[in-house]
Amino acid sequence: MKNTNFLLLSILAILIFSTNSCQNSTSEKPKTQTSAPPLDKKWWKEAVVYQIYPRSFQDSDGDGIGDLKGIISRLDYIKSLGVDAVWLNPIYASPNADNGYDISDYQAIMRDFGTMDDFNNLLKGMHDRGIKLVMDLVANHCSDEHEWFKQSRSSRDNPYRDYFHWWPAEKGKPTPRFSFFDVESDAWQFDKKTNAYYLHIFAEKQPDLNWENPKVREEIYKMMRFWLDKGVDGFRMDAFQYICKDTTWPVFPPGYEKDIIKWYGNGPHLHDHIQEMNREVLSKYDIMTVAEGAGTSPADAMKWVDPDRHELNMAYHFEGMDMGQVAGKFKVPDPAGLDLVKMKQIYTRWSDGFAERGWVSMYLASHDQPRMLTRWGNDSPEFRDVSSKMLNTFILSMRGTPYCYYGDEIGMSNIKFDKIEYYQDIETINQYKKAKAAGEDLQEFLKNQKIMARDNGRTPFQWDATPTAGFSTGKSWLKTNPNCATTNAAAQENDPNSPLNYFRKMIRLRKENEVLIYGKYTLLDAANPDVYSYSRELNGRKLLVLLNFKAKTASANTGLDLSKAKILIGNYALPSKNGELKPYESVIFEL
């Protein structure tokens, strides 16, 4: 009986299927699903990040050094910008050989900046205003004044000896390694006490930690948990692509230092270490993680941020920052100026590389770079405002999380020091000594530093037109740019056409138009040497961004019909409507 029922049900099913098949063959076919796949939304993709160099933002006690209480006093200003997160350069205890990137205690606050109570108040003040705080994690190296290193250098059999990379002198000089900050460019420093060399790929007071030692990794993870449990919202990881070394110390080919990322980055166990960090720490918190540098190509960088690999969630590349310099020279700007075609190729390659998976950052300036207005725009009085607005339009309309550097919202520019005595940065000072010892033209060196030196991007924030720009009541640690008399936040606050208020409008536009965050990016008019044009598309909406990077009128040749396009924002009072752009003009259309 059971078999008979099963047979009858099978025949009935075949008849129903056949009938439906015949009906479908003669009627309209089902419509193809055309809606876009759901967006992988994350807060850190949608955030606008504002980078603060704490030493230069606001001094609260008159010692000429910015501090945490100073930042607290300016939280309402930061909130008014519309930014979502603040990336704070290192505030940990440090003897300041490299302005805080040489840490002597990872769980203490530098005295110049205040106390842990000040930090707690800062974090609460930010969170009360809906602003997240991202800390700078410096774990490739620490200070030679850190207790770990003091112990490590005390004797060869000290338990902390293997926290760092040591080479016994009786074995001869170790395999050469290049140092970024050393006067002799030598990363091996002889230490007489134990008759051995230690590795420092940055300054001699910044010994490299030995990440091949699991005890070191656990120390770092413990420190990360300390800050995350306080409520910190993420980490920007300094020099992270360098943490893993090939400890067989192979010989590198001559000239390797000209492609240092290739030879120093992506060590043999790098991704093992990051995946372990993710398992032990990062995966347990809803945070933003971005490594400074992530290889030399989008393919390399994808290894860091492919969600399936469980490492970090955002790539931060150097290729855009490295262009425009003479190869093989220390920060010599290309006399030919900006090659916009090359710039478009670079940013398009990185955008396209993360179109389907992973995520990338977008920036034009940082504490390691000169001011973006001087380098990529035009800091002359005639074009200062419009080129500043154009560059911020670029940062805030590209695909990827935008990083905006303090002061760029008001158009701060390079200070262009004439004398080496005015510089505070260890990089410039040591390179000057190196150039002097080599008999090079020191005036030419200083001329190049006016464009490329890092101190250009570290001058005090220009709050008002007073001699110290409202930054301090005392003598500032680094000279204040004298153009604060005309370029300052107070003067721009109530001017609806100021760079400051344009910056706020541009952030609002990004937040109100999801297409500027998650939309597809397509480069247009690629060969145009003057204008950068691209579209952003999402869910049937299409925006067109036109950016004139030159001090002359230029045409955008996108092939798109602009006759019915709606202008969403422009950096001139009367934006161009037909693609004929005024000097440094930027316009965003909705098509």
Side-chain angles (χ1 to χ4, degrees):
M1 187 67 180
K2 288 181 179 179
N3 291 338
T4 302
N5 288 340
F6 177 79
L7 179 61
L8 289 173
L9 288 171
S10 298
I11 294 171
L12 181 61
I14 292 170
L15 290 171
I16 293 172
F17 177 79
S18 300
T19 301
N20 287 340
S21 297
C22 292
Q23 290 174 345
N24 284 337
S25 66
T26 58
S27 62
E28 183 179 349
K29 294 182 178 180
K31 293 182 179 179
T32 303
Q33 179 68 35
T34 57
S35 61
L39 300 175
D40 181 23
K41 294 186 177 182
K42 303 290 184 182
W43 71 262
W44 39 266
K45 293 182 179 179
E46 300 173 10
V48 176
V49 181
Y50 185 68
Q51 182 188 354
I52 290 178
Y53 199 65
R55 181 170 292 272
S56 298
F57 196 64
Q58 180 66 68
D59 172 24
S60 70
D61 57 12
D63 67 355
I65 299 172
D67 47 46
L68 299 184
K69 285 183 178 178
I71 298 173
I72 292 171
S73 73
R74 297 295 187 176
L75 285 179
D76 288 340
Y77 169 82
I78 297 169
K79 174 67 175 177
S80 79
L81 298 176
V83 300
D84 306 279
V86 166
W87 156 23
L88 204 59
N89 286 101
I91 56 172
Y92 316 95
S94 168
N96 273 319
D98 185 22
N99 281 1
Y101 281 89
D102 50 316
I103 298 171
S104 55
D105 187 340
Y106 283 99
Q107 293 177 208
I109 301 298
M110 189 189 306
R111 286 194 295 271
D112 287 345
F113 292 155
T115 66
M116 189 62 76
D117 284 342
D118 294 333
F119 175 82
N120 294 335
N121 291 334
L122 173 64
L123 183 61
K124 183 179 186 301
M126 287 188 176
H127 285 173
D128 287 348
R129 291 166 174 79
I131 302 169
K132 297 183 183 294
L133 177 59
V134 177
M135 297 281 280
D136 214 319
L137 178 67
V138 187
N140 174 74
H141 48 266
C142 65
S143 168
D144 65 347
E145 297 183 32
H146 195 292
E147 187 60 29
W148 298 343
F149 192 73
K150 290 179 181 179
Q151 292 290 328
S152 183
R153 78 192 313 177
S154 66
S155 69
R156 290 192 178 188
D157 58 0
N158 187 279
Y160 287 91
R161 186 67 169 183
D162 289 338
Y163 274 44
F164 301 88
H165 297 282
W166 288 96
W167 181 276
E170 65 267 20
K171 292 176 64 175
K173 191 77 184 287
T175 308
R177 288 295 181 267
F178 175 82
S179 169
F180 293 100
F181 294 165
D182 189 77
V183 176
E184 305 297 330
S185 302
D186 186 356
W188 290 105
Q189 180 68 30
F190 179 70
D191 198 55
K192 184 178 180 180
K193 185 174 180 63
T194 58
N195 191 37
Y197 298 88
Y198 67 84
L199 184 74
H200 64 92
I201 67 172
F202 291 93
E204 68 177 76
K205 287 184 68 64
Q206 294 171 291
D208 282 48
L209 287 160
N210 179 12
W211 274 72
E212 306 317 299
N213 183 346
K215 293 181 181 179
V216 169
R217 300 199 299 274
E218 183 48 46
E219 294 272 19
I220 297 299
Y221 303 160
K222 179 182 176 182
M223 174 268 291
M224 295 171 71
R225 295 185 196 103
F226 170 84
W227 292 106
L228 293 171
D229 289 342
K230 277 183 170 290
V232 166
D233 302 289
F235 293 110
R236 175 266 186 186
M237 300 174 172
D238 179 72
F240 223 69
Q241 59 188 322
Y242 303 141
I243 61 171
C244 181
K245 279 80 172 175
D246 183 344
T247 54
T248 64
W249 307 113
V251 176
F252 293 155
Y256 75 90
E257 67 276 4
K258 296 177 182 178
D259 193 2
I260 204 70
I261 294 177
K262 174 183 177 181
W263 295 101
Y264 277 17
N266 298 315
H269 302 295
L270 174 65
H271 291 287
D272 296 333
H273 297 336
I274 301 174
Q275 288 167 10
E276 179 186 75
M277 175 187 287
N278 186 288
R279 288 193 305 272
E280 296 296 320
V281 183
L282 304 180
S283 61
K284 304 181 188 305
Y285 303 86
D286 179 22
I287 57 173
M288 182 183 101
T289 52
V290 54
E292 180 194 28
T296 57
S297 70
D300 282 345
M302 182 58 74
K303 295 175 183 177
W304 296 70
V305 298
D306 185 332
D308 292 341
R309 291 175 59 86
H310 304 289
E311 297 189 16
L312 308 182
N313 51 35
M314 194 186 311
Y316 184 99
H317 69 89
F318 288 152
E319 193 173 2
M321 295 298 100
D322 288 343
M323 68 171 292
Q325 301 181 56
V326 176
K329 301 287 186 180
F330 173 69
K331 294 188 174 181
V332 176
D334 189 338
L338 174 64
D339 183 343
L340 185 63
V341 172
K342 181 179 180 181
M343 184 181 192
K344 290 189 280 189
Q345 291 170 349
I346 289 172
Y347 282 97
T348 298
R349 182 164 63 253
W350 282 89
S351 180
D352 290 351
F354 296 85
E356 302 297 332
R357 301 183 65 76
W359 199 250
V360 71
S361 57
M362 178 63 204
Y363 71 107
L364 286 179
S366 74
H367 64 290
D368 280 332
Q369 303 294 334
R371 284 288 170 185
M372 73 173 188
L373 177 62
T374 299
R375 188 173 180 194
W376 307 115
N378 191 320
D379 61 12
S380 69
E382 182 181 4
F383 295 122
R384 172 187 299 276
D385 285 5
V386 289
S387 65
S388 173
K389 295 174 185 178
M390 182 274 291
L391 294 170
N392 279 318
T393 304
F394 179 44
I395 295 171
L396 292 163
S397 65
M398 281 288 283
R399 192 171 185 275
T401 298
Y403 287 71
C404 304
Y405 190 53
Y406 85 99
D408 283 347
E409 73 271 22
I410 62 171
M412 285 179 61
S413 58
N414 283 11
I415 193 168
K416 303 178 182 178
F417 288 134
D418 289 317
K419 299 179 180 180
I420 190 62
E421 291 78 16
Y422 294 153
Y423 284 98
Q424 301 293 323
D425 181 22
I426 187 173
E427 180 183 65
T428 298
I429 293 170
N430 283 353
Q431 286 293 334
Y432 181 86
K433 292 177 181 177
K434 186 176 179 180
K436 185 177 182 180
E440 296 178 9
D441 186 337
L442 297 181
Q443 289 306 309
E444 184 68 17
F445 177 90
L446 290 174
K447 176 184 175 182
N448 293 330
Q449 293 308 290
K450 289 182 180 182
I451 304 300
M452 303 301 296
R454 300 194 301 179
D455 272 347
N456 285 301
R458 300 177 178 183
T459 55
F461 190 94
Q462 295 165 205
W463 294 105
D464 58 36
T466 60
T468 57
F471 165 73
S472 177
T473 57
K475 182 180 178 182
S476 300
W477 75 278
L478 188 64
K479 282 182 175 291
T480 303
N481 195 322
N483 69 15
C484 67
T486 53
T487 300
N488 61 75
Q492 295 186 23
E493 186 63 47
N494 297 317
D495 177 1
N497 297 315
S498 68
L500 173 59
N501 282 311
Y502 182 89
F503 181 79
R504 290 167 170 153
K505 292 175 187 175
M506 191 61 217
I507 288 181
R508 286 198 297 271
L509 184 71
R510 183 179 179 88
K511 291 179 179 295
E512 293 167 359
N513 292 273
E514 205 169 53
V515 61
L516 288 175
I517 301 171
Y518 295 109
K520 176 185 176 183
Y521 161 92
T522 303
L523 176 66
L524 305 170
D525 196 13
N528 193 320
D530 304 320
V531 179
Y532 196 154
S533 307
Y534 49 91
S535 63
R536 303 296 310 277
E537 298 178 74
L538 181 69
N539 296 334
R541 292 190 67 201
K542 184 172 183 177
L543 306 188
L544 172 65
V545 182
L546 303 181
L547 307 163
N548 182 0
F549 271 78
K550 300 298 174 66
K552 63 179 183 180
T553 301
S555 299
N557 305 304
T558 64
L560 298 173
D561 182 7
L562 301 182
S563 61
K564 297 180 181 179
K566 176 184 177 182
I567 296 176
L568 299 183
I569 195 169
N571 65 342
Y572 275 82
L574 295 175
S576 300
K577 298 180 179 180
N578 58 3
E580 293 296 320
L581 303 175
K582 294 180 278 293
Y584 297 105
E585 183 169 12
S586 61
V587 191
I588 299 181
F589 297 91
E590 180 161 14
L591 302 177

